[in-house]
C-alpha cells in the first residue's frame, strides 16, 4: 500500500507540474493570462471553515496567505488525484504504464473543478456565469489532458 501511495504522490506532483508548464506555454505563446491561485486559496481557507459555496469569492473575507494556500491546494489536489489513480490501476500498471488510464483519469478530474471549485468560487457550474464559459471549459479540458499526460509521463520516468 505504501508503494502505491508513494508512486501516486510522485505522479501527482509530476502531473500538476505538467499542467503548470502547459499554462506557462499558453501564457508565453498565446498571451493567455496565468492562473491566479489567490482566489482558490481563499476558497480553500473558507472551505476549511465550512463554507464551500460563495456568490463571489471576491466578496469573501480575505486572508494574508491566499496565494500560497492556493498553490499548496493545487498541488495537494494533484497529489490526491495521483494517489487515486495509483489505487485504481495498481502496481502492475507502474511496471508498464499505458496512456489510456492516465489520460482518462486526467479528463475525469475536470469534474471537480466544474462541479465543486467553480461553483464554490461563484463562477457557476462549469463556468456558466462567466461571459465565455465554452472557452473556459475548453481551457479546463486542455489543462486536464496535460495533467493526464503528466501522470503517464511521470509513471514512465518512475519505471
Amino acid at each position: 500500500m505504501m508503494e502505491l501511495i508513494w508512486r501516486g504522490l510522485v505522479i501527482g506532483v509530476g502531473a500538476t507540474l505538467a499542467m503548470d508548464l502547459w499554462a506557462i506555454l499558453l501564457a508565453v505563446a498565446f498571451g493567455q493570462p496565468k492562473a491566479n491561485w489567490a482566489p482558490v486559496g481563499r476558497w480553500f481557507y473558507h472551505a476549511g471553515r465550512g463554507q464551500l459555496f460563495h456568490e463571489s469569492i471576491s466578496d469573501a473575507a480575505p486572508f494574508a496567505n491566499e496565494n500560497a494556500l492556493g498553490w499548496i491546494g493545487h498541488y495537494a489536489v494533484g497529489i490526491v488525484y495521483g494517489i487515486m489513480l495509483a489505487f485504481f490501476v495498481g502496481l502492475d500498471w507502474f511496471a508498464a504504464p499505458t496512456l489510456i488510464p492516465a489520460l482518462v483519469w486526467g479528463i475525469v478530474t475536470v469534474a471537480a473543478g466544474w462541479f465543486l471549485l467553480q461553483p464554490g468560487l461563484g463562477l457557476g457550474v462549469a463556468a456558466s456565469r462567466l461571459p465565455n464559459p465554452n472557452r473556459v471549459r475548453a481551457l479546463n479540458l486542455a489543462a486536464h489532458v496535460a495533467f493526464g499526460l503528466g501522470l503517464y509521463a511521470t509513471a514512465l520516468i518512475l519505471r
Side-chain angles (χ1 to χ4, degrees):
M1 184 162 108
M2 286 307 295
E3 182 77 10
L4 281 173
I5 292 171
W6 177 83
R7 288 178 179 274
L9 184 148
V10 172
I11 65 170
V13 168
T16 307
L17 182 59
M19 180 186 268
D20 291 338
L21 291 172
W22 170 252
I24 291 168
L25 174 68
L26 288 177
V28 170
F30 302 104
Q32 174 66 29
K34 292 181 184 176
N36 178 4
W37 292 104
V40 176
R42 187 179 295 184
W43 180 79
F44 274 115
Y45 177 81
H46 287 282
R49 283 148 184 77
Q51 186 174 3
L52 285 176
F53 298 98
H54 301 266
E55 186 63 31
S56 172
I57 195 66
S58 63
D59 294 337
F63 79 103
N65 298 305
E66 293 174 340
N67 196 49
L69 183 57
W71 277 102
I72 291 166
H74 172 55
Y75 273 83
V77 168
I79 288 167
V80 168
Y81 289 160
I83 292 170
M84 290 173 73
L85 176 65
F87 276 92
F88 291 150
V89 297
L91 280 176
D92 289 343
W93 181 80
F94 285 95
T98 54
L99 175 62
I100 297 303
L103 187 58
V104 167
W105 181 240
I107 293 168
V108 165
T109 61
V110 80
W114 284 353
F115 299 109
L116 178 61
L117 180 61
Q118 290 174 355
L121 294 171
L123 306 177
V125 172
S128 61
R129 293 182 60 198
L130 294 179
N132 53 355
N134 287 332
R135 184 174 196 282
V136 173
R137 292 169 190 147
L139 288 169
N140 294 159
L141 279 172
H144 283 260
V145 166
F147 183 82
L149 293 172
L151 290 167
Y152 174 63
T154 308
L156 287 175
I157 293 167
L158 280 178
R159 257 185 327 161

